[in-house]
Amino acid sequence: MIGLISATAAGAAARDRLAAAWPDRTRVYEGPVGDAVRTAFAQCEQLVCFLATGAVVRLVAPLLSGKTEDPGVVCVDEGGRFAVSLLGGHAGGANELAREVGDLLGAEPVVTTATDAVDLAGLDTLGLPVEGDVAGVSRALLDGEAVALRAEVTWPLPPLPVSEEGSYTIRLTDRLVEAAEREVVLRPPTLVVGVGASKGAPVEEVLGLVEAALREAGLSVASVAELATVDAKAEEAGIVGAARRLGVPLVTYSAEELAGVDVPNPSDAPLAAVGTPSVAEAAALVGGGELLVPKRKSTASPAMATCAVVRRPGRGRLAVVGLGPGARDLLTPRAQAELRRASVLVGLDQYVDQIRDLLRPGTRILESGLGAEEERARTAVEEARKGQAVALIGSGDAGVYAMASPALAEASDDIDVVGVPGVTAALAAGAILGAPLGHDHVSISLSDLHTPWEVIERRVRAAAEADIVVTFYNPRSRGRDWQLPKALGILAEHRTPATPVGVVRNASRPDESSRLTTLGSLDPATVDMMTVVTVGNTATRDIAGRMVTPRGYRWQSAQEGSE
């Protein structure tokens, strides 16, 4: 919950805007400001104070207890010009909250956390348990000193300016080790603990068994991703309680699924009880991985719990990102977040140049020229299979005549794939022209590089006969100058010469140009590969110089009846 505190009418107005925008996230604290701050500080995960920073410093100073316990605090000035991350930038989420508040109120976020200021990923913001000299290693990264990455397990990290050797170290491990001097230990959630239990097994027995098994195998409990068991034990109090105490989810599988898993230590007892010869080992191994701790029983007499531990390989992550039509303000926040998260960027060189300034230090860039789409897709998937966090970029929406299709054709279920939508050229052009896509519409690429012309022509003819608005991508190049005239001729068999046609070149870019013409007047020679051509249907009209396709044909009938 975010506590909101204000002292003046102007502050209350901004406070109420925030409360209205986030009704489920915020709580307004009224009354004397000092009392309100103290109460909110004790009750909320974050605070937004519409007060001077000095006043807030004096109010919260006596309340501070520790970096990991204190809420994040953001201050917004009286004029609403700045949202200052004052306390708990990383641990309390104040840096991100300042950006969110800034976006909502039109204020400039002020973030002074060193790593954020130079756009480095903070070691305590990676979503992994972290131990050791976080401040020292972070300072070394900021100062450009050599920091070595020792990855004992595979995990997709964001970009970090690391090297093979260095006097400081980032160690990625699920082993039970102490951080050395000048070292940070990151613990990825690589371990799955399969558990079985007799009815009524105490939570202390189940939890004690799991902790002992991990400790004796030299594994860290901080790297446990989940407990796993059979469906029949989904409500078993000892197992449920152990998962809760460990702070991990409990995942269950059917007896049929577990019976199909090959295990080294099957038993007749679980087969008779729940229908599978193995619970602990099978539940841990069902997703694959390396069995680190074979089935073992608790030391109680009689033993009421079993467990097994598996290390699952870290899965690489491939984000297929649409950059939009070119303008920076049409690049979505989600796309920007994925670009900042990726340790490897793969893309066409001219697209990489568009967003190079958004990449974090340490991002590895693999760029290539036109015509290498399949190669880029293979490269991106290969990097993800190495356990990297990869962003594969394309213009517009990556799923529309772009990189998503060849990438997903290469990928299998051994990596995680995330699609990030972008504003397509058709949508950007449509907004410039007016509302040409107000009814059914279709996009057709006229490039026959990957599709035989016979197929393209059949699709154009179908759209013409169905009276659908058509947007042509890749309409004309120096080597392909006859396809657009042919396509327009097919449409002309079903639409009048006065049918509106919108032509937009480099939509949203500095050299954008557009014009509204007609099917009978369009000169194909004025069109190139940087252009999209939108041809209206029989209801599309030129209204005040804008291309408008009504949502229904009743509008057209009413217009004609009034003439």
Side-chain angles (χ1 to χ4, degrees):
M1 185 63 65
I2 303 171
L4 306 180
I5 301 104
S6 63
T8 66
R15 176 203 69 191
D16 292 344
R17 284 177 59 194
L18 213 59
W22 299 337
D24 299 327
R25 298 177 60 190
T26 58
R27 179 187 302 161
V28 174
Y29 285 80
E30 304 276 9
V33 170
D35 293 342
V37 169
R38 284 188 288 273
T39 304
F41 199 91
Q43 295 179 348
C44 298
E45 291 82 19
Q46 295 174 320
L47 278 68
V48 179
C49 299
F50 296 86
L51 305 165
T53 54
V56 178
V57 167
R58 285 190 290 274
L59 288 169
V60 304
L63 310 176
L64 301 180
S65 59
K67 181 177 181 179
T68 59
E69 294 83 20
D70 296 330
V73 179
V74 171
C75 290
V76 179
D77 65 289
E78 182 76 9
R81 294 172 300 170
F82 303 103
V84 182
S85 174
L86 183 69
L87 177 69
H90 283 168
N95 292 349
E96 185 57 34
L97 180 59
R99 297 184 183 100
E100 289 187 81
V101 171
D103 287 342
L104 187 61
L105 300 181
E108 180 72 23
V110 179
V111 175
T112 58
T113 306
T115 50
D116 287 47
V118 298
D119 209 21
L120 278 175
L123 297 175
D124 53 353
T125 67
L126 304 182
L128 304 178
V130 58
E131 304 166 13
D133 187 10
V134 176
V137 175
S138 297
R139 187 168 54 250
L141 290 170
L142 289 166
D143 291 344
E145 296 189 45
V147 177
L149 175 64
R150 291 176 56 193
E152 298 174 10
V153 292
T154 300
W155 199 259
L157 293 175
L160 293 167
V162 294
S163 55
E164 293 185 3
E165 300 293 336
S167 55
Y168 292 83
T169 305
I170 299 171
R171 186 174 180 182
L172 188 69
T173 183
D174 55 17
R175 291 288 177 185
L176 187 60
V177 295
E178 294 288 336
E181 185 180 359
R182 295 187 171 188
E183 182 178 67
V184 162
V185 175
L186 297 174
R187 301 199 181 281
T190 55
L191 305 178
V192 177
V193 180
V195 290
S198 302
K199 184 175 179 59
V203 64
E204 289 78 10
E205 182 174 344
V206 177
L207 184 62
L209 171 64
V210 170
E211 291 177 336
L214 292 168
R215 183 175 58 253
E216 292 169 19
L219 301 170
S220 172
V221 69
S223 283
V224 175
E226 62 190 43
L227 295 194
T229 191
V230 66
D231 284 347
K233 296 296 179 179
E235 304 296 328
E236 185 63 48
I239 296 177
V240 172
R244 185 180 299 115
R245 296 261 288 272
L246 290 168
V248 299
L250 176 63
V251 179
T252 63
Y253 301 95
S254 69
E256 291 75 17
E257 286 179 280
L258 298 186
V261 178
D262 186 27
V263 298
N265 300 293
S267 172
D268 292 334
L271 180 62
V274 293
T276 172
S278 172
V279 172
E281 286 182 341
L285 284 166
V286 71
E290 177 188 2
L291 183 63
L292 302 179
V293 179
K295 182 182 72 174
R296 59 180 288 175
K297 296 180 179 180
S298 59
T299 57
S301 182
M304 299 183 72
T306 60
C307 82
V309 183
V310 163
R311 177 187 288 136
R312 287 185 183 170
R315 291 170 62 87
R317 188 176 190 275
L318 173 62
V320 188
V321 181
L323 300 180
R328 178 59 58 85
D329 60 355
L330 292 182
L331 177 66
T332 68
R334 186 179 300 180
Q336 293 189 50
E338 289 294 346
L339 294 176
R340 289 163 53 79
R341 177 173 181 167
S343 59
V344 179
L345 182 85
V346 182
L348 179 67
D349 46 15
Q350 64 190 62
Y351 298 153
V352 171
D353 289 340
Q354 288 180 26
I355 48 83
R356 196 182 295 270
D357 63 302
L358 296 178
L359 304 177
R360 278 181 157 158
T363 304
R364 186 157 55 95
I365 300 173
L366 304 176
E367 55 188 314
S368 53
L370 286 168
E373 287 78 11
E374 286 80 7
E375 178 186 342
R376 283 195 292 277
R378 284 193 294 271
T379 297
V381 172
E382 288 169 2
E383 290 294 328
R385 285 183 175 141
K386 295 175 184 177
Q388 301 287 341
V390 182
L392 174 63
I393 59 174
S395 65
D397 183 287
V400 179
Y401 305 123
M403 294 305 302
S405 180
L408 297 188
E410 290 286 336
S412 54
D413 62 0
D414 57 346
I415 61 173
D416 295 325
V417 179
V418 177
V420 182
V423 179
T424 69
L427 296 179
I432 293 164
L433 295 170
L437 309 181
H439 207 294
D440 296 338
H441 54 275
V442 64
S443 296
I444 298 177
S445 171
L446 295 183
S447 171
D448 54 4
L449 180 63
H450 300 288
T451 306
W453 174 254
E454 293 76 15
V455 175
I456 297 173
E457 181 174 339
R458 187 164 66 247
R459 292 171 180 172
V460 174
R461 197 170 298 280
E465 293 174 353
D467 197 27
I468 296 176
V469 175
V470 181
T471 296
F472 289 122
Y473 280 72
N474 306 314
R476 183 177 181 274
S477 67
R478 273 179 268 178
R480 293 187 302 99
D481 58 2
W482 59 268
Q483 286 91 341
L484 179 59
K486 177 67 173 176
L488 295 174
I490 294 171
L491 293 175
E493 296 173 11
H494 300 270
R495 303 176 196 185
T496 70
T499 301
V501 176
V503 180
V504 180
R505 187 177 190 277
N506 283 332
S508 86
R509 301 187 184 190
D511 56 347
E512 168 192 298
S513 64
S514 65
R515 67 184 189 278
L516 185 57
T517 182
T518 64
L519 187 56
S521 301
L522 175 61
D523 179 4
T526 63
V527 173
D528 63 12
M529 284 288 286
M530 305 304 294
T531 306
V532 290
V533 177
T534 300
V535 182
N537 64 14
T538 57
T540 305
R541 293 290 183 268
D542 178 345
I543 301 176
R546 301 182 183 92
M547 188 176 177
V548 180
T549 301
R551 293 181 62 188
Y553 283 79
R554 294 178 183 176
W555 178 86
Q556 179 186 12
S557 300
Q559 287 288 102
E560 292 172 348
S562 65
E563 293 176 354

